[in-house]
């Protein structure tokens, strides 16, 4: 099988949504929210995605890169993903740079040819996914 065949085989509308588990967030950096509020916002965002017709697999990871890699591999087992959305909590905090790199590298290993999109909050995920799916 050629690389092009492998990439074509991976094309899917299934979305892999990767973000920090709410228990892994350092809320001292975000005094306006707490774990319960963030958990509720994430759940509302996921419900909105499903109601909008997105086929989504959610993967909430710990902050430790090794543990996050294992969690991502477990979440993605057997899936075919066209787009991965990595949440702002992973990307925007400097202390998560290694985690972000690891997640990108593992996602591209799991799903060659996968596209990435990025939100700025749980509420902007739908727009990010629409951009990611259109770009394919």
């Amino acid at each position: 099988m050629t690389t092009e065949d492998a990439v074509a085989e991976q094309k899917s509308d299934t979305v892999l949504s990767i973000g920090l588990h709410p228990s892994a967030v350092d809320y001292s950096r975000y005094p306006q929210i707490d774990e319960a509020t963030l958990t509720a916002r994430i759940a509302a965002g996921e419900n909105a995605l499903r109601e909008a017709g997105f086929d989504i697999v959610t993967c909430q990871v710990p902050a430790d890169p090794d543990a996050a890699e294992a969690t991502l591999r477990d979440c993605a087992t057997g899936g075919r993903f066209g787009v991965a959305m990595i949440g702002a909590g992973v990307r925007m905090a400097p202390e998560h740079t290694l985690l972000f790199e690891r997640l990108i590298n593992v996602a591209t290993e799991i799903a060659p040819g996968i596209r990435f999109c990025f939100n700025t909050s749980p509420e902007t995920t739908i727009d990010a996914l629409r951009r990611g799916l259109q770009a394919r």
Side-chain angles (χ1 to χ4, degrees):
M1 177 182 295
T2 68
T3 302
E4 288 176 4
D5 292 336
V7 169
E9 208 172 278
Q10 284 292 331
K11 294 290 186 202
S12 170
D13 287 338
T14 301
V15 173
L16 180 59
S17 178
I18 306 165
L20 278 178
H21 190 282
S23 66
V25 174
D26 176 4
Y27 292 98
S28 68
R29 297 188 66 185
Y30 311 100
Q32 71 278 16
I33 62 171
D34 59 21
E35 186 173 342
T37 302
L38 181 58
T39 299
R41 288 176 61 197
I42 291 169
E46 289 173 0
N47 288 336
L49 291 171
R50 288 187 176 92
E51 287 174 8
F54 288 97
D55 180 16
I56 182 169
V57 172
T58 300
C59 186
Q60 293 183 341
V61 300
D64 174 73
D66 292 334
E69 177 177 342
T71 300
L72 177 54
R73 289 183 185 282
D74 286 345
C75 289
T77 298
R80 290 183 49 202
F81 305 98
V83 174
M85 196 289 304
I86 299 181
V90 172
R91 294 186 335 276
M92 297 175 77
E95 67 269 21
H96 295 310
T97 299
L98 179 59
L99 172 63
F100 181 48
E101 289 174 354
R102 181 81 65 91
L103 293 172
I104 291 283
N105 290 329
V106 170
T108 58
E109 177 189 324
I110 290 167
I114 197 167
R115 303 284 303 199
F116 290 91
C117 61
F118 306 105
N119 68 1
T120 56
S121 70
E123 295 80 12
T124 64
T125 302
I126 286 178
D127 291 334
L129 292 178
R130 287 183 177 138
R131 289 191 311 269
L133 288 168
Q134 282 181 336
R136 294 178 326 121

